[in-house]
Amino acid sequence: MRGIHPPVLADRGLVDAVRTIALEAPLPVEVASTLEGLVPMPVESAVYFAVSELLANVAKHARATRATVDVSRPGPLVVVVSDDGAGGAAAAEGSGLAGIARRLGAFDGSLTLESPADGGTVATIRVPLAG
């Protein structure tokens, strides 16, 4: 991932890049944002790939009918990916979710999950940003 910066990020920024991922998803994904200002390119790239992987997991495993992505700041960059699927997601060692958390950790970021067995998952990405 290090050194990779997809052209859509350079051309359109994080929120529009996330909207592009949403448009390509096999289920309806609503994107909302209150993001103001710029995000450093390495963080932007890491978050872009994390959102992409989270939405791929929703499509593949959650049996969801819809998902949402909310991108916000000031303070830390916070991205919340939620779905109405089956729930039960866990970031067990060696899983893709644990890999996302590990990659965000390189930026002092985190991934938290709320995924009760009776339905729905909320994955929250937090990355501190200077300024």
Side-chain angles (χ1 to χ4, degrees):
M1 177 182 77
R2 196 170 293 249
I4 298 173
H5 198 76
V8 69
L9 284 173
D11 293 344
R12 300 175 60 198
L14 180 60
V15 175
D16 282 341
V18 167
R19 285 187 175 114
T20 299
I21 296 169
L23 287 171
E24 296 172 356
L27 70 160
V29 178
E30 181 181 328
V31 178
S33 176
T34 59
L35 179 66
E36 295 180 15
L38 299 175
V39 176
M41 281 197 295
V43 171
E44 186 177 64
S45 186
V47 170
Y48 169 84
F49 284 114
V51 170
S52 179
E53 190 168 346
L54 288 168
L55 287 176
N57 285 346
V58 169
K60 185 175 181 180
H61 303 293
R63 298 187 307 272
T65 61
R66 62 183 173 82
T68 62
V69 180
D70 185 18
V71 183
S72 64
R73 186 177 177 207
L77 175 63
V78 178
V79 180
V80 179
V81 178
S82 59
D83 68 64
D84 66 348
E93 191 60 38
S95 75
L97 294 171
I100 293 170
R102 191 173 48 257
R103 291 188 298 274
L104 292 169
F107 303 98
D108 294 326
S110 63
L111 173 68
T112 57
L113 291 174
E114 296 175 35
S115 189
D118 61 348
T121 297
V122 177
T124 304
I125 296 167
R126 281 189 176 78
V127 182
L129 299 176

